[in-house]
Amino acid sequence: GAGVSQSPSNKVTEKGKDVELRCDPISGHTALYWYRQSLGQGLEFLIYFQGNSAPDKSGLPSDRFSAERTGGSVSTLTIQRTQQEDSAVYLCASSSRTEANYGYTFGSGTRLTVV
Amino acid sequence: AQSVTQPDIHITVSEGASLELRCNYSYGATPYLFWYVQSPGQGLQLLLKYFSGDTLVQGIKGFEAEFKRSQSSFNLRKPSVHWSDAAEYFCAVGGIQGAQKLVFGQGTRLTINP
């Protein structure tokens, strides 16, 4: 597609439930990133996929968080047993490795509220 | 560790006035530097980027930024702001350890007075 698409745009879930957030990157972009933006905070890196390489999971805050990227395209971020501190906007971005195009394109994010 | 500091959490300027948003980074080599803007309820949009060459880079919406290696800075400027420039602005540094992961500053919220 023309841009990075994230779904759902908003998600309200009960504490303890699992949630899945989806990201469709720009076609042809080999790199995909997940970031978290808490209220009034900057962007916190979560995970990075680059082609067929092993993902960089160094930013995942706990083992309740996981992500996969199927077929080098769509990615799903899963949060198990959600906690109230997981409430945030989850942003996905994709990029090309070509320097001329280097620079993320972000989706509009998924606003997650854990009640 | 690599880091980005945006010293100003919130800035208010009058419409038509000039603007400068500060960004300082910590990185061992020449970094890739970016400025992004986030309007309320929206994702982040790339304003401009610096990789190498001319240290003054032009971006969209009339913004420019200057890379100063001696000061480890990459400040964003605009000669005359418009009410539509009210948003959150993020500076970011990349090129870390060969990966394309970006490290973002905490952001500066810009308010425009009429």
Side-chain angles (χ1 to χ4, degrees):
Chain A
V4 177
S5 177
Q6 291 188 247
S7 60
S9 56
N10 280 284
K11 176 71 176 179
V12 180
T13 189
E14 292 181 352
K15 179 181 174 181
K17 301 280 191 181
D18 298 351
V19 295
E20 286 189 350
L21 312 180
R22 177 187 168 102
C23 173
D24 280 280
I26 291 174
S27 178
H29 277 189
T30 57
L32 186 148
Y33 315 79
W34 285 97
Y35 281 77
R36 178 169 70 175
Q37 186 177 26
S38 302
L39 186 63
Q41 301 297 311
L43 278 75
E44 175 188 7
F45 168 77
L46 296 177
I47 188 168
Y48 157 51
F49 297 90
Q50 174 59 61
N52 295 321
S53 302
D56 177 353
K57 304 180 181 179
S58 60
L60 295 179
S62 75
D63 58 8
R64 296 187 294 106
F65 288 72
S66 62
E68 64 177 18
R69 187 178 186 193
T70 55
S73 181
V74 172
S75 177
T76 302
L77 177 69
T78 300
I79 308 174
Q80 297 178 310
R81 306 181 301 280
T82 52
Q83 303 295 314
Q84 288 187 329
E85 61 262 29
D86 299 334
S87 296
V89 176
Y90 289 82
L91 291 166
C92 175
S94 68
S95 76
S96 164
R97 295 200 73 170
T98 305
E99 184 172 288
N101 295 317
Y102 181 24
Y104 295 179
T105 300
F106 279 89
S108 296
T110 294
R111 181 175 297 278
L112 175 66
T113 303
V114 181
V115 298
Chain B
Q2 294 79 12
S3 65
V4 177
T5 301
Q6 294 180 246
D8 304 304
I9 296 174
H10 184 204
I11 284 182
T12 300
V13 299
S14 298
E15 190 168 16
S18 63
L19 171 71
E20 183 170 28
L21 302 183
R22 296 182 291 164
C23 172
N24 293 96
Y25 66 89
S26 173
Y27 183 64
T30 300
Y32 295 166
L33 294 161
F34 305 81
W35 275 99
Y36 286 85
V37 60
Q38 185 180 35
S39 298
Q42 302 296 312
L44 278 76
Q45 181 183 23
L46 180 66
L47 283 176
L48 47 79
K49 57 190 176 187
Y50 171 79
F51 293 161
S52 62
D54 192 347
T55 57
L56 183 64
V57 294
Q58 303 296 320
I60 62 172
K61 304 185 179 186
F63 286 92
E64 66 178 27
E66 186 172 12
F67 170 59
K68 293 185 177 180
R69 184 189 302 275
S70 62
Q71 298 177 18
S72 297
S73 69
F74 188 57
N75 293 350
L76 181 71
R77 301 194 294 249
K78 187 170 184 177
S80 175
V81 297
H82 186 262
W83 64 266
S84 60
D85 293 325
E88 188 96 19
Y89 290 80
F90 293 93
C91 181
V93 61
I96 296 168
Q97 297 175 350
Q100 295 184 23
K101 179 173 65 178
L102 297 187
V103 174
F104 286 82
Q106 291 298 302
T108 297
R109 184 161 61 93
L110 176 64
T111 299
I112 307 294
N113 283 336

